[in-house]
Amino acid sequence: MTALRTALSVCLLPVLPWHEGGREAYLDAEQSGFAAAYTYDHLTWRMFRERPWFAALPTLTAAAAVTSRMRLGTLVTSPNFRHPVTLAKELMTLDDVSDGRVTLGVGAGGSGFDATALGQQAWTPRERSARFAEFVDLLDELLREPATTRSGTYYSADEARSVPGCVQQPRIPFAIAATGPKGLRLAARLGQAWVTTGDPTLGDATPADSVAAIGAQVQRLEQACADAGRAPAELGRILLTGFTPEGAHLLDSVDRLVDFVGRHAEVGITEVVVHGPAPDSPSRSTPSSSRASPPPPSSSSPPRSRPGEPCRPPQPHRDCRCRTRIRRVVSDICSLAVSLRAAGPVTQAATAVRRPTPRHR
């Protein structure tokens, strides 16, 4: 029954125009019972460079206006093309529109297309790490305080205002994506949750290898929490499944999904994020094809097109029967008493204290 206490969420690629399926995707996610719906915060992705790809925060704002229960968030935002001052204002606004249902997934970013889209050279790994820590630290202050002035190495603020502040107090929760020592220390210090996609160094990993690697990551996170004087149970542990060996087929059946969630819950994962369908998403086995067909279960993760750039995650079936199957699987799990309407530790930590002033709508 461990799996039945783990939150189940969905990640939706921002590829559908809002009035041509985008709105329905978020409504379907909420009606299916997912705890949260996330989307990627990139400017583009390699397989979608010449195809529709919409901005994350406006999409989530629109989703907030048509949903009422499930949480919404990014997996993940990075410093590659953002500044903490402007991002804080946008997040405060999104938190207001959603009435306190926002989680910010944030990571260091890579050296792919996002890293050079503003015309700059891609940062070195050392600079990405340093920028990430300063970015999150300043963003934390901006979202907590009504006015912030700070002079940093990479990011500064001069009387930057965040009024009236977040609906969620003291600020919206951060889900920090990290696997290295510095990133894990940052998650232990400022995160309400931690995000992993598994171990990217494993190559042709078996499911057992992947679970073991994720378990080792959780242990390192717990050690970072102990070093920071923080109880590890205070942090949610989010697994984004699209890069794991089994990620493409988790919604094929209730048994497969419950087994997957159960094995990862045993190593400390508290929220599992599956991928929603993407129309005409190219398959990993036939990259030139415009029609998606799921790769075989033994298929490994696709190669990265540029160092540091996230690969396109494997997607479930693309046809119209996909939504019906997803709803049936999630509904069946609900009938087994899975509590999908609780978003787990992230929600509990973030919404424990809310702004007491009445909201006028």
Side-chain angles (χ1 to χ4, degrees), residues 7-13 29 32 34-40 75 238-244 246-253 256-258 260-261 271-277 313-316 325-326 329-330 333 340:
L8 181 63
S9 300
V10 66
C11 185
L12 302 171
L13 269 67
S32 294
F34 287 109
Y38 299 97
T39 195
Y40 289 109
L75 283 183
I238 302 172
L239 170 62
L240 179 59
T241 63
F243 303 91
T244 61
E246 303 166 276
H249 298 275
L250 292 180
L251 296 179
D252 286 355
S253 72
R256 175 171 288 180
L257 180 59
V258 170
F260 179 92
V261 173
E271 182 176 355
V272 169
V273 183
V274 297
H275 279 90
Q315 300 294 319
R325 188 183 70 251
I326 291 173
V329 170
V330 175
I333 294 173
L340 298 181

Side-chain angles (χ1 to χ4, degrees), residues 80 108-111 115 121-131 154:
N80 272 346
S111 57
Q121 292 293 317
W123 303 321
T124 65
R126 182 185 294 274
E127 183 175 350
R128 282 203 307 272
S129 176
R131 282 180 175 269
Y154 302 105

